[in-house]
Each structure stands twice: as structure tokens, then as C-alpha cells.
């Protein structure tokens, strides 16, 4: 019985991961096409790090997507990609809860908490 | 160089990085970061950011396939993710304050270590020894082989946990999946069968990279225009690699060639780091 439930969780997790990757890559490709079409002949320079975080904060990215900026769309896809394994962890927590495996529900929530702290530390530090 | 030229060069380079990374099991980041920094003179922070994103794409993509086969030990992965995500968070914060040439030197050293690890012989080991912690944490499991389901035990949970913490720090600091270190922890310390350790390590890499990627993202180290060709290239290369792997069983010579390439890149990274040119 327990084993059957485990395979259910595995199937769901596999689906979450595959869908997340396909969707985010499609968005990145689309944004990339827009960006190359508009800025393909600009001069690229990445030799030094510039502290212009246009696409580091969510508000900047959303504004960019609304004004149809290629790089903002790419960044939206990248954020979805980064979110994919995190969503996978959240799904695992629900799965363990359904199995009444409270030890692993706790362990999974702890992992989510660490990632959450990670998000906050990037903001303030 | 114009944006379109740079994008094409990175796309092609990333494709081969993803291909080699998947054939050897080391991941694409090992080639991408030297390619971007040494050849294209990209700031190492941007290179690490782009590499992390590509690591998430490839590990999530292949984990989706492995999980269905039932080889991945999800409880073990989940438990060890506590260590890798905490380490990755520490590593990403450390990276902000570490001078770039130290990161380059560390990268070179880990590169050499991983190349040596990938050449090691893999023997199938099964431990029936069930330690107290492993039993408490329900880590002992079984996996499908050609001879039916095979039971295995997990030993030295604490040692493996601390090795994973270290693997997480390295992953956050230099932007690779550090799959080699994860496999060391599971193969040599926890005595897990090779097939289980590689798939479970792959399962954990995505979450580990995501934990440090959120820090890099907010620091502005993940540049969309640069990451775009890297992610697409590495992912396509990895898909090609997995198709080749299914067809050919002997990949010994690929590993040897890859180790040579990696050692050359590693020495270059260390040299540039020591000279302070990176």
C-alpha cells in the first residue's frame, strides 16, 4: 500500500519537473527571439560586473514583460526554471503528508524554509 | 563583438559543454565557466549565474525521467537536501564577498578533483548493514535491477550529511552541480549502490542550485541575455548526450578525453587566478 502511494508521488514529481522545464525553456526561447531581433547588432560587454539590477527584482521584470522587453521575458522564463525544483519540493511535502509520513513532511518543510531564507538573504544582505 | 555573434558562439560552446557533461556525468558547468571567463572574458559572477541556471535545467529534465524508473531514493534525497541547500545558501553568500581570483583557483582545484573521480572504476556494492539512523529515517530501500528488486542499506548517515553540506557550499560558491562530490558522499561514505547514488545526486542538484540561484538572481548575477544561449545550448547538448549513452555502453575513452580537457582548463583557471587576471 505504502509502495503504491510512493509511485503516485514519483509520477506527479516527474510531471512537475518535465512541465516546468519545457514551459520555461519555451519562454526563454521566445524572449531570446524578441531580444535578438531588437538588439542583435548592439555591442555586447560582460567583462565587468555592472550593478544595474534592472532584472534582479520582480517589479522590474514584471514591468519589462508588460512593455514586451525581450530580456525581461527571458528572465521570467529563468525564474520559472529556478522555481521548478522548489515547486517539486512543495509537491513532495504534500505527498508525504498524504502518506501520513510526518517525519518526512517535516524534513521537506525544513528544506523549503532554507530556500525561503535564501530568498530573503538575497534581498537584504 | 555584437550580441548576435556572442550569442551564437555561446550557444555552440554550451551545446558541446552539455554534451560532454552528460556523457561523463560531470555536468555542463565545468566547461561553460572556463569558456565564458577564459575565452570570452565574461566576469566570473555572470558565468557562475548562467551555469547555475543551466544546471537546474539539465538536472530537472533528467530527474523527471529517472524518478519514473523508481531508482531514485526520494527519502534519502529529501533528507540530504537539508544539508545541500543550507550549504548552497552559505556558499552563495560567501561568493559575494570572495575575490574573483580565489573563486577561479577553487574552481580549478574542484575541476581536477572531479576529473579524477570520474575516471574511478565503479563497482557494484550492496550493503545489508542497516545503521540505527538509517532505520530511524527510513533511508534503506530497494531498486529495480535485471534480477528483480534489490534491497540495500545505508551506512554512516552523519558522515554523508556533512559531506553534502560541503558539496552544497562548493555548488553555491562556484556555480556547478558538484555531482562528483555528492556521489563521493553517497558511494564512499554511505555505501549506496552506484545507480542509486547517481540518480539521487541528480535529483538533489536542481534544488541545491535553486537555493543559491535565488541569491545570485537578486544580486543581479544572472544576466538574461547571457544565460539564454547557455541554458538552451547545455540542455540540447545534454539531451543529445543521453541519447548517445543509451546506444553505446563503453564510454571509457570519452572520460579520458574529457579528463584531459578539464585538466588543461583547470590549470588555466588556477594560473589566471594566481596571477590575479580573473
Amino acid at each position: 500500500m505504502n509502495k503504491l502511494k510512493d509511485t503516485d508521488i514519483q509520477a506527479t514529481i516527474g510531471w512537475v519537473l518535465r512541465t516546468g522545464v519545457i514551459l520555461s525553456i519555451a519562454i526563454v526561447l521566445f524572449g531570446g527571439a524578441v531580444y535578438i531581433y531588437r538588439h542583435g547588432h548592439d555591442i555586447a560587454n560582460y567583462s565587468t560586473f555592472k550593478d544595474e539590477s534592472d532584472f534582479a527584482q520582480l517589479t522590474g521584470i514584471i514591468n519589462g514583460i508588460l512593455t514586451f522587453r525581450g530580456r525581461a521575458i527571458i528572465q521570467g522564463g529563468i525564474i520559472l526554471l529556478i522555481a521548478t525544483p522548489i515547486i517539486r519540493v512543495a509537491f513532495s511535502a504534500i505527498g508525504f503528508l498524504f502518506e501520513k509520513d510526518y517525519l518526512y513532511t517535516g524534513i521537506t518543510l525544513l528544506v523549503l524554509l532554507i530556500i525561503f531564507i535564501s530568498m530573503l538573504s538575497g534581498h537584504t544582505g | 563583438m555584437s550580441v548576435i555573434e556572442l550569442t551564437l558562439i555561446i550557444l555552440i560552446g554550451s551545446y558541446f559543454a552539455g554534451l560532454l557533461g552528460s556523457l561523463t556525468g560531470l555536468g555542463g558547468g565545468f566547461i561553460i565557466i572556463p569558456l565564458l571567463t577564459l575565452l570570452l572574458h565574461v566576469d566570473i559572477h555572470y558565468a557562475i549565474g548562467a551555469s547555475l541556471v543551466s544546471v537546474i535545467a539539465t538536472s530537472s529534465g533528467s530527474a523527471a525521467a529517472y524518478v519514473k524508473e523508481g531508482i531514485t531514493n526520494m527519502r534519502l534525497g529529501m533528507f540530504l537536501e537539508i544539508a545541500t541547500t543550507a550549504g548552497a545558501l552559505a556558499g552563495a553568500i560567501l561568493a559575494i564577498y570572495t575575490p574573483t581570483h580565489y573563486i577561479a583557483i577553487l574552481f580549478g582545484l574542484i575541476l581536477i578533483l572531479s576529473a579524477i573521480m570520474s575516471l574511478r572504476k565503479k563497482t557494484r556494492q550492496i550493503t545489508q548493514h542497516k545503521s540505527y539512523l538509517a532505520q530511524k529515517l527510513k533511508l534503506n530501500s530497494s531498486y529495480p535491477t535485471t534480477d528483480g528488486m534489490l534491497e540495500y542499506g545505508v551506512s554512516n548517515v552523519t558522515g554523508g550529511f556533512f559531506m553534502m553540506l560541503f558539496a552544497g557550499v562548493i555548488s553555491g560558491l562556484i556555480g556547478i552541480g558538484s555531482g562528483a562530490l555528492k556521489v563521493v558522499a553517497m558511494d564512499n561514505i554511505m555505501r549506496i549502490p552506484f545507480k542509486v547514488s547517481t540518480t539521487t545526486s541528480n535529483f538533489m542538484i536542481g534544488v541545491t542550485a535553486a537555493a543559491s540561484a535565488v541569491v545570485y538572481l537578486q544580486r543581479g548575477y544572472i544576466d538574461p541575455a547571457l544565460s539564454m544561449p547557455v541554458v538552451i545550448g547545455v540542455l540540447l547538448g545534454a539531451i543529445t548526450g543521453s541519447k548517445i549513452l543509451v546506444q553505446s555502453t563503453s564510454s571509457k575513452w570519452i572520460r579520458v578525453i574529457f579528463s584531459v580537457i578539464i585538466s588543461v582548463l583547470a590549470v588555466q583557471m588556477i594560473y589566471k587566478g594566481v596571477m590575479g587576471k580573473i
Side-chain angles (χ1 to χ4, degrees):
Chain A
M1 190 61 198
N2 212 353
K3 205 70 194 166
L4 195 84
K5 282 282 195 179
D6 260 9
T7 49
D8 283 350
I9 299 179
Q10 283 165 358
T12 314
I13 283 176
W15 180 83
V16 167
L17 290 173
R18 205 169 327 104
T19 312
V21 172
I22 293 172
L23 204 63
S24 51
I25 292 298
I27 296 171
V28 167
L29 266 175
F30 178 71
V34 173
Y35 173 66
I36 294 289
Y37 177 73
R38 292 214 187 120
H39 296 281
H41 297 288
D42 292 3
I43 298 301
N45 180 20
Y46 294 102
S47 55
T48 46
F49 176 68
K50 301 175 288 289
D51 204 7
E52 45 162 52
S53 28
D54 253 15
F55 304 112
Q57 301 303 335
L58 209 55
T59 47
I61 298 166
I62 290 169
N63 279 335
I65 292 174
L66 290 178
T67 50
F68 209 66
R69 292 182 63 185
R71 278 187 295 169
I73 299 172
I74 298 173
Q75 200 74 327
I78 289 174
I79 288 174
L80 183 64
L81 187 63
I82 296 173
T84 299
I86 303 174
I87 296 168
R88 186 272 282 171
V89 176
F91 266 83
S92 310
I94 298 167
F96 285 129
L97 193 65
F98 271 126
E99 271 191 45
K100 294 197 166 50
D101 187 338
Y102 300 118
L103 172 66
Y104 271 87
T105 311
I107 287 175
T108 311
L109 289 178
L110 182 59
V111 172
L112 277 180
L113 181 72
I114 294 168
I115 295 171
F116 187 65
I117 293 169
S118 202
M119 286 177 188
L120 293 181
S121 77
H123 255 306
T124 50
Chain B
M1 208 183 304
S2 77
V3 166
I4 197 157
E5 282 169 339
L6 186 70
T7 304
L8 278 176
I9 293 171
I10 296 175
L11 190 66
I12 294 166
S14 303
Y15 177 80
F16 286 104
L19 181 65
L20 276 174
S22 127
L23 288 178
T24 55
L26 286 180
F30 277 120
I31 304 238
I32 278 302
I33 293 174
L35 173 84
L36 292 177
T37 52
L38 296 174
L39 245 70
L40 299 169
H41 305 291
V42 170
D43 183 286
I44 198 164
H45 284 121
Y46 284 134
I48 292 173
S51 165
L52 271 178
V53 176
S54 76
V55 162
I56 297 174
T58 47
S59 89
S60 300
S62 49
Y66 289 139
V67 163
K68 276 200 303 185
E69 288 170 23
I71 302 171
T72 314
N73 187 333
M74 286 207 300
R75 284 197 169 75
L76 178 67
M78 213 59 244
F79 171 66
L80 293 176
E81 273 164 20
I82 298 174
T84 60
T85 50
L89 164 61
I93 292 172
L94 216 59
I96 296 166
Y97 303 104
T98 309
T100 50
H101 58 275
Y102 284 127
I103 297 180
I105 296 169
L106 182 66
F107 184 89
L109 292 176
I110 297 290
L111 210 57
I112 293 172
L113 180 77
S114 302
I116 296 168
M117 291 304 307
S118 79
L119 284 175
R120 238 171 15 120
K121 259 213 177 73
K122 275 116 196 163
T123 47
R124 197 161 96 172
Q125 53 174 6
I126 301 287
T127 317
Q128 296 302 341
H129 167 75
K130 294 179 169 67
S131 73
Y132 173 75
L133 253 181
Q135 236 153 355
K136 267 278 176 225
L137 290 163
K138 291 177 266 186
L139 297 179
N140 304 312
S141 182
S142 58
Y143 76 104
T145 63
T146 44
D147 321 315
M149 295 300 278
L150 199 61
E151 301 261 340
Y152 61 90
V154 177
S155 43
N156 198 354
V157 177
T158 323
F161 190 84
F162 279 103
M163 187 67 195
M164 286 297 172
L165 202 61
F166 177 68
V169 173
I170 295 295
S171 167
L173 200 51
I174 64 178
I176 54 162
S178 67
L181 289 174
K182 290 191 175 73
V183 173
V184 171
M186 286 192 270
D187 275 12
N188 296 14
I189 302 174
M190 305 177 91
R191 303 259 153 226
I192 294 162
F194 178 67
K195 247 191 145 168
V196 178
S197 71
T198 38
T199 53
T200 307
S201 144
N202 185 71
F203 183 68
M204 293 160 55
I205 283 173
V207 187
T208 311
S212 39
V214 290
V215 177
Y216 278 85
L217 184 73
Q218 295 176 59
R219 285 281 158 177
Y221 291 166
I222 296 179
D223 184 89
L226 195 71
S227 305
M228 181 253 301
V230 173
V231 182
I232 294 168
V234 169
L235 192 63
L236 289 179
I239 292 170
T240 314
S242 64
K243 295 248 158 72
I244 296 174
L245 266 187
V246 174
Q247 286 160 7
S248 72
T249 43
S250 164
S251 56
K252 178 79 185 164
W253 62 274
I254 299 172
R255 287 216 175 84
V256 174
I257 293 173
F258 192 63
S259 301
V260 173
I261 297 174
I262 265 192
S263 305
V264 173
L265 292 176
V267 169
Q268 286 230 310
M269 290 292 280
I270 293 171
Y271 175 75
K272 295 245 171 163
V274 171
M275 303 303 279
K277 282 183 185 161
I278 220 160

